[in-house]
Amino acid sequence: QEYFELPQSPAHTIEEETSSSQMTESHGIEANFALKTWRVAFVTLRQQFNLTRSLSDRFAAGSTVYGGMAPMLQEETSSTRNRRWDLRESVELRFKPGKNGKPAPTLAVSVMLQKGDLDAWNLDTLASSYTKRYLTKEGNDLRQFWVVNLSQTLYEFRKDQRNLQVTAEYDMTYNLQTKVQEAYDLYGVDEPVINTANTFDFTYSNLVHQISFVSRYNTGNPKFPMLNFSVNSQMTQVKDRERLPADVSGDKTYYSITPSLNIRIGQLNSISLASSTSTPSVEQLRRWIDDTRPLSLVAGNPDLKLSQSWLLRLSGNSDRMRAKKWMTTWNASVQYQARPLVQRTIFYRE
């Protein structure tokens, strides 16, 4: 691969992968059970276990010409040995309807446990670095992912062709993971020296609480036959527990309200307004600078805010077909995003 010098990227780079190998082995087992009891209308259990083993080796070489300087040579050798298992459990409870057919709640809980035994190393000989050689090792501890959903119909109304239904839902998701990486400088020393800038050990958790109200109304009017409206209120708690390179902690909480509306006009046309949010990832929030490749320093921004977007869409079809051979379809949409999460790149020249 060859990347030529451009105003946006003032470097000429040639990359060549000379050899690589990869092997993946996977085993899995799954079991499902269904049970009907007198207290609960229906109980569903699901279990899944997977075991994966993968091996990969890679050797690559390249050169970079920056600003008329002499070519900077680079060789990279990497090897990965990964053994991972994950266990998934889920249960769903559908309760019996109450008296007079009153709707009953539905509860669903699922959990995923994942353990990775990762043994990976990477040797980098980028000539532009004063240390010139890096050796990195990575590992992951037990990861947990929980999901809880509780839904309940609050109100139902039916008369002739009209009907209205209002539903409330509570969702909780919890994600916990630990990441470990060690980096060593090997150039000009008898023994490897730990590179603190690229050595880390941290635990990251993300807890989301969401309450939603959804209403669906069939008007019985041919001009406006359907109206759907929903509103979601969400609280996201992000926690970062750093042990390396420094013993620090960071907590952030995000709040959001996202309404949506959908109106059907006639039988073939509709107008909808939807909103959504995006929370910064752990890599986007971590403040540490990754200088593994000195020509491309990477760092997060702990001051990032929640990103929210809005989408207005109009769509429809013609209800008049000539000789029933063709139909006209049209769509129009406008999207707006506040505080987008984007990658910012800055180029420096000496």
Side-chain angles (χ1 to χ4, degrees), residues 108-322:
V109 180
S110 65
V111 58
M112 183 191 73
L113 303 178
Q114 186 179 85
K115 180 67 169 67
D117 182 10
L118 178 63
D119 182 11
W121 59 268
N122 182 80
L123 180 61
D124 192 346
T125 63
L126 185 61
S128 62
S129 171
Y130 71 94
T131 55
K132 292 190 178 178
R133 281 158 178 75
Y134 283 106
L135 176 64
T136 62
K137 296 176 62 178
E138 301 177 10
N140 295 304
D141 205 345
L142 180 66
R143 179 183 178 184
Q144 303 179 43
F145 188 72
W146 295 77
V147 177
V148 177
N149 173 268
L150 177 63
S151 62
Q152 171 69 59
T153 300
L154 302 180
Y155 178 76
E156 275 190 327
F157 167 78
R158 297 178 182 275
K159 185 177 181 181
D160 299 330
Q161 296 182 349
R162 294 180 299 163
N163 62 78
L164 172 65
Q165 184 183 64
V166 180
T167 305
E169 288 192 13
Y170 166 75
D171 293 276
M172 185 276 291
T173 59
Y174 177 69
N175 184 13
L176 174 68
Q177 57 182 317
T178 298
K179 290 189 176 182
V180 179
Q181 175 174 294
E182 299 176 6
Y184 297 89
D185 297 334
L186 306 178
Y187 180 73
V189 293
D190 296 332
E191 298 291 337
V193 178
I194 191 167
N195 183 280
T196 56
N198 299 295
T199 296
F200 54 76
D201 180 1
F202 67 92
T203 299
Y204 176 80
S205 65
N206 186 297
L207 176 62
V208 180
H209 298 278
Q210 178 176 287
I211 298 177
S212 307
F213 294 93
V214 181
S215 65
R216 301 178 179 87
Y217 180 43
N218 291 325
T219 65
N221 186 342
K223 294 183 177 180
F224 300 96
M226 183 176 293
L227 172 65
N228 296 333
F229 175 76
S230 66
V231 58
N232 301 325
S233 59
Q234 180 173 295
M235 181 185 71
T236 303
Q237 295 177 314
V238 178
K239 295 184 179 181
D240 184 13
R241 297 292 180 262
E242 303 273 350
R243 291 171 290 275
L244 289 174
D247 187 8
V248 296
S249 300
D251 297 345
K252 296 183 73 69
T253 303
Y254 300 96
Y255 299 93
S256 65
I257 297 178
T258 54
S260 64
L261 176 66
N262 181 273
I263 302 175
R264 181 182 296 177
I265 304 173
Q267 297 297 323
L268 302 173
N269 306 315
S270 66
I271 177 173
S272 64
L273 176 64
S275 59
S276 62
T277 60
S278 178
T279 305
S281 65
V282 57
E283 287 79 10
Q284 293 171 324
L285 289 173
R286 295 187 76 241
R287 65 175 71 247
W288 310 111
I289 297 177
D290 181 357
D291 66 348
T292 304
R293 299 179 178 272
L295 293 181
S296 179
L297 305 180
V298 180
N301 180 6
D303 297 325
L304 288 176
K305 300 182 182 300
L306 194 74
S307 175
Q308 186 165 8
S309 61
W310 297 80
L311 177 63
L312 175 64
R313 176 174 295 173
L314 307 174
S315 63
N317 297 306
S318 63
D319 55 359
R320 296 180 180 179
M321 295 187 295
R322 297 181 180 181

